[in-house]
Amino acid sequence: MAYSLSLAELALGYTSPNPAVGAVIVRDGIVVGLGHTQQPGLEHAEIMAINQAGEMSRGATMYVTLEPCCHHGKTPPCTNAIINAGVSEVHIAVADPNPLVGGKGIQQLEAAGIKTFIGEHEQKARVINEGYFKYIMTGRPFVIAKFAMSLDGKIATRSGDSKWITGEEARNYAHGQRHIVDAVMVGANTILADDPQLTARGYSGKGARSKLQPLRVIVDGKGRIPTTARVFSEPGETLVAIADSFMDNDRLKTAREGTEYIAIKSVDGWIEIAELLKVLGQRQITTVMVEGGSKLLGYFFDSHFVDKVLIFIAPIIIGGEEAKTAVSGTGVDKVKDALQLKDVKIERFDDEFLISGYT
């Protein structure tokens, strides 16, 4: 199963809105078939492994990270292929929460006389597809808050300079995270101050839908971002969310190819983020990484919309009352009410650290 999980991780960034799944077929102690989910509409992990194993599938054991599908989507049911291939035993890491599957895949396999086992490395399998699980169960994307800061919690100096808080190794890791999410989100102030590219540099592609890059989502309530910003000329697609009270037809006429403006419900010119997340879910965006600025992150934390946190900490002290902090917003009145992360992990990149956890 550990091998299957590593194959599933290879598929991350290419399969959305489908889950990233890995499958291994073993016969007489020898691996005879390997597979991982391909782009939507192409082979699922089980089919890829069966095709590679051929006749060696008969009497073999399959290890798969997610319950095999049993319904017709863009591809035929994997359960039918497993039964027809003559596989005798299937080990499944975790059941699929999709109501079209939800245990029915296991039932079909067992009805055909195939022994099934479930739960091996379940937690790791859930983490790999945490975005898919949240999306299927709620219709909204899994939200990751990511930012880099100094030891004293600053993301920029008092003059606004922020390049670079972290070193190259940490930034490369961050690009890897952009590669595996469906969308990257920032606020208008981040675009105006830093003019970022918001691309997953160093990665060869994510599939036709996203044109090799994650969708860039810009929260621009008052429509302040100029069309000359770099995000509009980078490969991939950009979605600009503007408060409905500030949307106008002239803006639509200036949109470049690959850029879309959408009006979102607002209160006093402030976009309702819950509505934006709903819209993204309707567009089959399963994971969103929010990278700033501090006002947008503050809104997400105050509204309890964050599912996971990635914080890069550099061993530097910036200081200054006017220097920007990572998260603004309203915050809490008492320390005891502060958000406490769970399942915390700490990784090191040169002299810098990544602290990750769940809300």
Side-chain angles (χ1 to χ4, degrees), residues 67-71 77 79-80 83 92 95-112 116 118:
E67 179 182 2
C69 65
C70 54
H71 63 286
T79 50
N80 289 357
I83 294 167
I92 301 165
D96 191 337
N98 189 330
L100 294 174
V101 186
K104 301 182 185 72
I106 294 172
Q107 291 173 7
Q108 285 191 10
L109 295 176
E110 291 179 339
T116 61
I118 187 165

Side-chain angles (χ1 to χ4, degrees), residues 5 19 47 59 92 100 118 124 202 224 233 259 272 313 331 349 356:
L5 290 167
I47 306 302
I92 301 165
L100 294 174
I118 187 165
K124 178 63 178 295
R224 295 178 294 147
S233 59
T259 300
E272 292 189 4
I313 301 178
F349 299 94
S356 61

Side-chain angles (χ1 to χ4, degrees), residues 65-290:
T65 60
L66 187 69
E67 179 182 2
C69 65
C70 54
H71 63 286
H72 282 272
K74 292 184 178 180
T75 59
C78 289
T79 50
N80 289 357
I82 294 170
I83 294 167
N84 294 335
V87 173
S88 63
E89 196 172 292
V90 178
H91 293 248
I92 301 165
V94 64
D96 191 337
N98 189 330
L100 294 174
V101 186
K104 301 182 185 72
I106 294 172
Q107 291 173 7
Q108 285 191 10
L109 295 176
E110 291 179 339
I114 298 175
K115 295 179 181 179
T116 61
F117 303 84
I118 187 165
E120 186 178 350
H121 292 296
E122 178 178 349
Q123 184 56 34
K124 178 63 178 295
R126 286 184 177 276
V127 169
I128 290 173
N129 279 306
E130 57 194 7
Y132 169 77
F133 274 64
K134 167 80 179 291
Y135 169 72
I136 286 295
M137 296 171 69
T138 67
R140 297 191 179 190
F142 184 86
V143 175
I144 303 168
K146 190 223 83 175
F147 51 90
M149 67 181 191
S150 62
L151 281 176
D152 55 339
K154 307 295 185 180
I155 61 172
T157 66
R158 65 175 183 271
S159 67
D161 179 60
S162 61
K163 294 183 179 179
W164 293 102
I165 297 292
T166 54
E168 185 175 359
E169 187 176 351
R171 294 200 301 274
N172 287 340
Y173 180 90
H175 282 295
Q177 294 304 299
R178 284 182 181 175
H179 168 70
I180 64 177
V181 300
D182 291 346
V184 174
M185 181 186 295
V186 298
N189 287 337
T190 296
I191 300 295
L192 294 172
D194 300 334
D195 197 18
Q197 295 170 273
L198 296 182
T199 54
R201 294 184 287 281
Y203 290 84
S204 59
K206 288 172 56 65
R209 186 198 67 171
S210 57
K211 297 182 181 178
L212 311 185
Q213 291 292 336
L215 173 69
R216 297 180 289 270
V217 181
I218 303 171
V219 180
D220 185 19
K222 298 180 181 179
R224 295 178 294 147
I225 299 173
T227 57
T228 54
R230 287 203 295 178
V231 291
F232 298 124
S233 59
E234 291 295 326
E237 299 175 354
T238 303
L239 183 70
V240 184
I242 296 179
D244 49 8
S245 56
F246 283 89
M247 179 63 82
D248 56 67
N249 291 329
D250 289 339
R251 188 173 309 283
L252 300 179
K253 295 176 184 178
T254 62
R256 300 186 181 188
E257 182 180 359
T259 300
E260 179 183 1
Y261 290 93
I262 59 171
I264 299 294
K265 293 179 184 178
S266 62
V267 177
D268 298 327
W270 291 91
I271 283 177
E272 292 189 4
I273 297 299
E275 183 66 21
L276 176 56
L277 292 175
K278 180 180 177 181
V279 169
L280 293 177
Q282 292 170 343
R283 294 178 177 225
Q284 296 188 312
I285 299 297
T286 67
T287 50
V288 176
M289 188 157 68
V290 183

Side-chain angles (χ1 to χ4, degrees), residues 54-65:
E55 285 300 313
M56 295 295 288
S57 294
R58 297 205 168 273
T61 298
M62 174 181 284
Y63 296 85
V64 62
T65 60

